Amino acid sequence: MDYAQYIRQNFPQGAFLPDERIRTFLDYAKASAAEEQARISGAIQRQPWLSQWYNPRDDIRFQIDHMLRITGSQAISLTSEQGMWEKSRQMLLLEAPGTGSDDTVRGTLYESWILAQADQMINPHGKTPALPNIIELMGKPSIPGLSAAPDNLYWVSTPQGVRTPQGAHDHFLIVDAKCPREAHTSPPDAYVAQLHFYEAALRHLMRENYPQWADAPVRKILAQGDVLRGRVSFLEIPTVPGMSETLWNNAQVLHQHVCQTKDLWPMPPQPVFDATKLPEVERMARQLLEIVDRKDAFETEETGLRNTLQSLLGDDPQQWPKLARDVGGMFRPYWPRTADERLLAALRENGVCIPEKLVYDVDGMVQALRNAGVPVDPFIKDRQVDVSTAVKALEVLDIPRSDFQSPGITLLDKRPKPAAPAQPAAPAQPEAGAEATPTIGPRP
């Protein structure tokens, strides 16, 4: 493919971007694509089973599309002036394309497997229709410069013969596959913005082509792959009032600005700190760092004393002595709450089956109940303020967080560290694709 011609013919920026800038960008893109492909090929060599799930793509074209257009994965940039300035640099090819992180490489490798597992959970009986035709339409930039296609989309309707409970309605279900090294327990801001952008694109498409469904509820979930255990868990993305509309509007405004002015989004003025207060601030910061040093030293000393005391007392609390009154303390045991190898060995040696407490994927079970038309309200034990979603809802209204919250201060230690003595090399973290082969069925 002639990628320079592809840029000229398919993007408004192609009419005015300098040839030299396009050539420089494509050189970076080719090198980046080759590096990522090498990582993917290495992962497939380590895990041959991945070849049946991996769907190759044109990585250079993929990078062009994601730099010159505004896509769902970049929606977080639409939540701030700084982010819109950074995205405008990409849209003018002033930013070199980056290489994927371990998470994105794992996502590329395992996406098809994750979606297949998620489909078995969402649609075990084949009665919840997926909507690949709608996803395809969403992926086409119906508004120039905007492209937002989720990994999967379903239409969930109440089964026939089931009384519709209060709050259970027919709805769209957006599913996006992720493969973090550790599953998220709360959705990162970038993913919240991404799935709201998908919702905005879906509603825009519905208004244009299927107006009767434009206001249907939209639920959003992350399907998180746990490759080591061969399973997928769900994490629901709460709806932030006004976010999807704001992101969609900001995307249109940004694209129009870049293409009409041929210039960057204006950088917002940075607030200036009162310089007269700076010496006092720096003095107190040094004092805090010194306190941290003393605290770390005390904690190290405390740990050493505890370990020495433990070796003197032994493991049987019934044999521990009572301290004299003038010592001013008493011993009380506390026992580990997690299963270590000694506990498991004792169970095995005494022929005791290891008791297990099942931990359920709550978001996945709730979705399964909804798919079956079962009311979930009777299972609600409590209602709590979703602080993260509440903050985002106010930020969508351009209300600064400092108007309704006071931040704490975390002082990071950036002082030069003294040279440490040489240590044996630690085992390297496994690369993407070096995980154990999960238990999976044949590809559908």
Side-chain angles (χ1 to χ4, degrees), residues 239-375:
T239 294
V240 179
M243 175 175 270
S244 59
E245 297 88 347
T246 298
L247 293 175
W248 195 249
N249 291 336
N250 287 354
Q252 295 178 69
V253 170
L254 175 59
H255 186 266
Q256 185 180 41
H257 170 86
V258 169
C259 294
Q260 289 185 355
T261 68
K262 306 176 187 178
D263 200 358
L264 297 172
W265 185 263
M267 272 286 287
Q270 299 298 314
V272 179
F273 185 75
D274 184 352
T276 62
K277 298 179 180 179
L278 188 56
E280 181 70 5
V281 168
E282 291 178 342
R283 183 185 66 81
M284 297 182 72
R286 290 190 185 95
Q287 287 181 339
L288 282 171
L289 289 172
E290 291 170 0
I291 291 172
V292 169
D293 288 341
R294 295 199 296 270
K295 181 181 177 182
D296 290 344
F298 283 135
E299 288 180 350
T300 300
E301 183 180 0
E302 180 191 18
T303 300
L305 285 172
R306 285 185 181 275
N307 290 339
T308 302
L309 182 61
Q310 182 79 54
S311 63
L312 290 172
L313 292 174
D315 289 341
D316 185 357
Q318 294 186 6
Q319 297 182 9
W320 292 355
K322 290 185 179 181
L323 295 174
R325 184 181 297 273
D326 61 351
V327 175
M330 64 177 294
F331 295 127
R332 176 175 293 174
Y334 64 89
W335 299 95
R337 305 290 294 180
T338 56
D340 58 15
E341 185 54 39
R342 289 179 63 192
L343 171 63
L344 298 178
L347 291 170
R348 287 192 291 265
E349 290 168 3
N350 290 278
V352 179
C353 292
I354 297 176
E356 292 183 335
K357 181 172 68 174
L358 300 181
V359 179
Y360 291 100
D361 174 4
V362 176
D363 286 353
M365 292 182 69
V366 168
Q367 186 59 49
L369 291 171
R370 288 192 176 113
N371 288 6
V374 177

